[in-house]
Amino acid sequence: MQLIDGKTLAAKIRSQVKEEVERLNDESEIVPGLAVILVGDDPASHAYVKMKAKACKEVGFYSIVHEMPDTISQEEIVATIEMMNANPRIDGILVQLPLPPHIDTERILEVIDPAKDVDGFHPYNVGRLVTKLPGFVPCTPLGVMKMFEEYGIQLQGKDVCVVGASNIVGKPMAALLLNADATVTVTHIYTRDLAAHTSTADIIIVGVGVPGLIKAEMVKEGAVVIDIGINRLEDGRLVGDVDFDAVAPKCSYITPVPGGVGPMTIAMLLSNTLQAAKARAAR
Ligand code: NAD
């Protein structure tokens, strides 16, 4: 069994981004800029935004965080996004999810200029992903693809079971895998017999939010297991969706939590924002 070390790979990508930022700055005086919109006081969202802002600073990005109370209106969020759309120093706009229940998330995401949609959640970029056209790809599934590339894990013709079908994780993951010629099964909360699908898969990718969901008997000998889940247990421990200790001995490759997919997500956000800044430089 080989551990897929997301922490080390993410650090390598971040240092590549940093070098490219310096080069871009030398050649065009452009500094990549990221604006983050953070609504409410969810501690996990605040922690993620803090990590993103720190990562931006480390690679030499300009970044701003718009913090808003959870009583904010839809119109005020829209107005802030429109301001960022028009701001020439901002290359990427990210709305930290989830938004409070009175806000129409899909409508908010549609307001972001697709050229600044570094999270890849705008329907324009979703459509481009599905049709295999260049565009912004959601950071978490993109990070998983980078892991496959780095570790030489082939996807063509492989049976891949994606567990979880959200717009930000499972669905774009499935689109990327299809684009890479894998045979993809997408499972979710209404799937009748999850184990029947996972136990025949060459690769299992799980992003659900249920600790211990994937057990040893659900995994084929020699499978690759990618754990996207992030769950905080009552004792404070951070775990994924896979029963790691029992599953790991059966795997050819497996990602740990923490230190697996999590760091890759932030590295991909930096990479997407750099891509947006380069497009600005080319205009
Ligand atoms: P979500 O709640 O939007 O979607 C969860 C998905 O899991 C749904 O499709 C649902 O049908 C499915 N599901 C729920 N219970 C299930 C079950 N028992 N069996 C099979 N499927 C089930 O969540 P999300 O935003 O997609 O996040 C999923 C997990 O991934 C969470 O733990 C989240 O913290 C984590 N996450 C991690 C990263 C990262 O950077 N590593 C990024 C985003 C999300």
Side-chain angles (χ1 to χ4, degrees):
M1 180 275 292
Q2 192 179 348
L3 214 55
I4 299 182
D5 181 354
K7 205 172 158 192
T8 302
L9 177 55
K12 184 168 119 183
I13 292 167
R14 287 204 310 268
S15 78
Q16 286 165 353
V17 169
K18 189 170 186 226
E19 278 171 30
E20 287 201 54
V21 170
E22 283 160 12
R23 201 172 321 132
L24 187 68
N25 194 240
D26 288 345
E27 288 167 3
S28 63
E29 290 185 6
I30 280 180
V31 175
L34 178 72
V36 179
I37 292 165
L38 174 59
V39 184
D41 47 20
D42 174 51
S45 290
H46 275 258
Y48 290 137
V49 168
K50 208 170 148 190
M51 284 194 283
K52 288 169 185 175
K54 184 168 167 262
C56 282
K57 199 169 165 211
E58 278 167 10
V59 295
F61 284 6
Y62 163 67
S63 79
I64 40 176
V65 179
H66 289 275
E67 276 192 52
M68 301 171 173
D70 58 10
T71 49
I72 196 104
S73 69
Q74 172 109 0
E75 291 68 33
E76 283 168 288
I77 303 176
V78 167
T80 306
I81 295 174
E82 283 170 346
M83 206 167 70
M84 294 299 105
N85 282 344
N87 184 338
R89 290 187 70 188
I90 295 300
D91 298 293
I93 302 169
L94 179 160
V95 177
Q96 185 65 39
L97 301 179
L99 291 170
H102 69 281
I103 304 292
D104 179 350
T105 301
E106 298 311 318
R107 169 79 194 103
I108 291 292
L109 295 177
E110 275 190 287
V111 178
I112 299 172
D113 177 349
K116 297 190 177 188
D117 173 38
V118 288
D119 252 343
F121 296 158
H122 190 290
Y124 174 85
N125 283 312
V126 175
R128 292 187 69 89
L129 169 61
V130 170
T131 47
K132 212 176 171 180
L133 290 169
F136 289 113
V137 176
C139 302
T140 301
L142 183 59
V144 173
M145 295 302 281
K146 287 278 169 206
M147 287 173 147
F148 290 142
E149 196 183 303
E150 178 77 8
Y151 282 80
I153 297 167
Q154 300 299 317
L155 296 170
Q156 192 173 62
K158 293 287 168 64
D159 290 330
V160 186
C161 182
V162 177
V163 188
S166 69
N167 287 345
I168 67 170
V169 178
K171 284 187 205 166
M173 188 74 250
L176 284 165
L177 293 162
L178 267 180
N179 289 346
D181 302 325
T183 302
V184 187
T185 303
V186 184
T187 58
H188 45 77
I189 188 128
Y190 297 111
T191 298
R192 272 180 298 175
D193 186 355
L194 181 62
H197 297 283
T198 59
S199 58
T200 57
D202 302 311
I203 301 173
I204 301 169
I205 305 176
V206 54
V208 163
V210 177
L213 178 70
I214 304 300
K215 299 178 176 48
E217 61 271 22
M218 297 166 74
V219 178
K220 184 169 90 172
E221 202 66 50
V224 175
V225 174
I226 307 290
D227 192 351
I228 298 175
I230 302 178
N231 308 290
R232 178 77 66 186
L233 299 183
E234 273 178 15
D235 62 9
R237 270 188 310 137
L238 209 59
V239 297
D241 292 342
V242 175
D243 180 0
F244 185 89
D245 292 341
V247 170
K250 294 184 84 174
C251 298
S252 53
Y253 294 91
I254 187 166
T255 61
V257 178
V261 178
M264 291 300 293
T265 298
I266 296 191
M268 291 302 106
L269 172 67
L270 299 175
S271 170
N272 281 355
T273 307
L274 175 66
Q275 181 191 323
K278 282 182 176 168
R280 163 156 63 115
R283 281 199 289 270

